[in-house]
Amino acid sequence: MAIIPRMSERALRMTPSVPAGERQFPYQGAPFAFKEVEESVIATVLVYPDLYYLVDFLTPEDFFFRANRVLWGIIATLHGERRPFSAKLVQALYNASPEAAAPLSDRLLDALLSRQDVDALQQNAYLLKDARDRRLLAGAFHEAVGALG
């Protein structure tokens, strides 16, 4: 049986918020969250919108970090409506969104866009999908162990 590490109180406070409906458990962000990978997928699609079809299977719930979840939701909505999108349009919609925790400044947008990586786009997308599946599996395991007593 694998031993699941417990996070310190300080680490728990630093753990990002969890999507509505997904239960928080002590090791929620530790093993299966990849901020750089999430940002790389978003940045690549913002720089090269024509590549969205390679990652159209991703949903906002596949993104662990709240800001990235909101950004991907905007991108997916625009694509679903067949509206062209750009980094500036997504930035404006993000900043107008009530779900945004903090505004996305031009400096932060430039930093995000610098993380684009066309060669790793599909691999990163599958990694995000796998990480979400692992978070859900770990959560189910935690609940099952908790139910046992």
Side-chain angles (χ1 to χ4, degrees):
M1 176 185 278
I3 298 174
I4 299 173
R6 298 206 50 94
M7 293 175 65
S8 68
E9 288 299 315
R10 180 172 182 259
L12 280 173
R13 287 192 302 273
M14 294 171 52
T15 301
S17 59
V18 179
E22 288 188 22
R23 184 174 172 192
Q24 174 99 22
F25 47 95
Y27 47 92
Q28 178 68 38
F32 309 120
F34 309 101
K35 188 170 187 175
E36 296 81 14
V37 173
E38 290 183 8
E39 290 173 350
S40 176
V41 168
I42 291 168
T44 304
V45 169
L46 287 176
V47 173
Y48 302 101
D50 294 345
L51 297 180
Y52 181 85
Y53 77 94
L54 294 173
V55 294
D56 63 356
F57 58 87
L58 289 175
T59 65
E61 293 77 26
D62 293 324
F63 292 80
F64 182 80
F65 296 91
R66 181 177 174 186
N68 295 340
R69 222 175 12 257
V70 174
L71 283 168
W72 192 256
I74 292 168
I75 291 168
T77 299
L78 290 171
H79 188 268
E81 295 172 354
R82 301 196 186 283
R83 292 175 49 194
F85 59 86
S86 66
K88 287 295 186 181
L89 174 61
V90 171
Q91 177 189 26
L93 293 172
Y94 176 86
N95 288 339
S97 171
E99 296 177 23
L104 181 60
S105 68
D106 289 338
R107 190 176 64 122
L108 288 174
L109 180 63
D110 289 342
L112 173 68
L113 294 178
S114 72
R115 293 193 172 98
Q116 61 89 17
D117 185 354
V118 174
D119 296 330
L121 179 61
Q122 275 190 304
Q123 179 182 354
N124 286 342
Y126 285 114
L127 186 60
L128 292 181
K129 195 61 123 168
D130 182 61
R132 178 171 186 254
D133 291 345
R134 288 174 185 259
R135 285 193 306 268
L136 293 174
L137 183 60
F141 173 77
H142 181 74
E143 286 183 21
V145 169
L148 293 175

